[in-house]
Amino acid sequence: MSPRGRDQPQRTRGAPPRVVSLVPSLTEAIAETHPGVLVGATDWCTHPAPLDVPRVGGTKNPALDRILALTPDLVIANEEENRAPDLDALRTAGLEVLVTEVRDLPQAFRELERVLTACGASGRPRWLDEAEQAWSAPVPADPVTTAVVPIWRRPWTVLGRDTFAGDVLARLGVRNLFGGHPERYPRIPLGELRDAAPDLVVLPDEPYRFTAADGPEAFPGPPCALVSGRHLTWYGPSLAEAPRVLAEALRAAHR
């Protein structure tokens, strides 16, 4: 039976929605803005640190039975983070699913407002104003630094076209050498990445956890910038400090 069947509790008129978030960055945004509405989140939802809600599995393999048992009014998802078959199954079970699409920073801000409104936020949070102000500088017309941006190895996978992280880097003066690739996350042999002759290799700590001992050794020529994946790829409260944190990491690679 659908979670909205006759034996299930009904939402009281005017009560805040019960929300399950399947997107770590949006979980943080909701928890910082309207924490009482969250009744479930993924195992990968690590922020804010004190978040104490039932866990429903991973972003790519959520436990649908656990989600249904929580009887949410709304499930928050993302077209890139979550698999369409899982979202279709939730809809078939009678749940409302809000699916976001984020390919650049302006779209991230629009989607954040849409999510927070759907979650019952009564006003615009301060952190969102601070984030928009932090990114208010115009996009550099001619980025001065070229880069390749691996997000996985075995096989090597990099940022391609139309990615949020690529737009973030462009706003910091870094041009992704594979930004014109037909695929958004192409698999490129290591030799081709080296032959691209980037000024810089940007290595985030998620989704693959690149470290000083795992990643830079594959690129003996250019400097490697180890950056926070949360600040590079998350759209939420971390956006307010992301320009400073990422710029410092990029500068540190050239020292």
Side-chain angles (χ1 to χ4, degrees):
M1 178 179 286
S2 160
R4 288 291 170 263
R6 63 170 180 260
D7 296 328
Q8 296 294 331
Q10 300 297 308
R11 180 181 172 192
T12 303
R13 183 181 296 275
R18 294 170 57 82
V19 178
V20 169
S21 174
L22 303 181
V23 187
S25 57
L26 295 177
T27 298
E28 183 180 17
I30 297 165
E32 291 285 358
T33 306
H34 202 3
V37 307
L38 277 173
V39 298
T42 75
D43 299 342
W44 299 104
C45 294
T46 56
H47 289 74
L51 182 66
D52 183 17
V53 296
R55 302 297 171 151
V56 297
T59 58
K60 305 296 186 189
N61 57 343
L64 302 185
D65 57 339
R66 286 188 231 164
I67 297 173
L68 295 175
L70 293 169
T71 64
D73 300 299
L74 180 66
V75 177
I76 302 295
N78 175 263
E79 51 92 28
E80 183 174 278
E81 292 262 12
N82 310 116
R83 300 186 318 124
D86 294 326
L87 305 184
D88 289 341
L90 292 173
R91 292 190 185 96
T92 298
L95 296 186
E96 180 180 353
V97 181
L98 187 160
V99 182
T100 57
E101 178 183 304
V102 177
R103 302 293 178 89
D104 58 31
L105 199 61
Q107 192 175 31
F109 288 131
R110 293 194 298 271
E111 291 288 64
L112 281 165
E113 287 201 69
R114 185 165 74 102
V115 166
L116 295 177
T117 297
C119 291
S122 58
R124 185 181 172 88
R126 176 180 295 180
W127 65 259
L128 187 53
D129 288 333
E130 292 173 349
E132 288 201 309
Q133 178 60 37
W135 288 99
S136 60
V139 181
D142 187 18
V144 297
T145 301
T146 62
V148 296
V149 190
I151 57 169
W152 203 261
R153 65 184 303 174
R154 305 183 191 95
W156 286 95
T157 307
V158 300
L159 293 184
R161 64 171 181 83
D162 297 335
T163 65
F164 172 76
D167 185 57
V168 164
L169 289 172
R171 292 168 187 274
L172 297 172
V174 177
R175 180 170 67 86
N176 174 17
L177 287 175
F178 288 89
H181 195 280
E183 299 178 22
R184 296 185 65 222
Y185 299 102
R187 296 180 177 182
I188 307 293
L190 180 59
E192 290 186 30
L193 297 181
R194 292 171 173 168
D195 290 344
D199 299 322
L200 182 68
V201 178
V202 179
L203 298 172
D205 61 10
E206 64 173 79
Y208 185 91
R209 188 173 181 80
F210 287 107
T211 68
D214 184 359
E217 81 290 344
F219 300 93
C224 292
L226 295 167
V227 304
S228 161
R230 176 169 167 260
H231 291 97
L232 180 64
T233 66
W234 286 34
Y235 28 89
S238 59
L239 282 172
E241 61 184 12
R244 174 183 57 80
V245 172
L246 292 172
E248 289 175 356
L250 294 173
R251 285 194 297 269
H254 291 284
R255 292 174 188 162

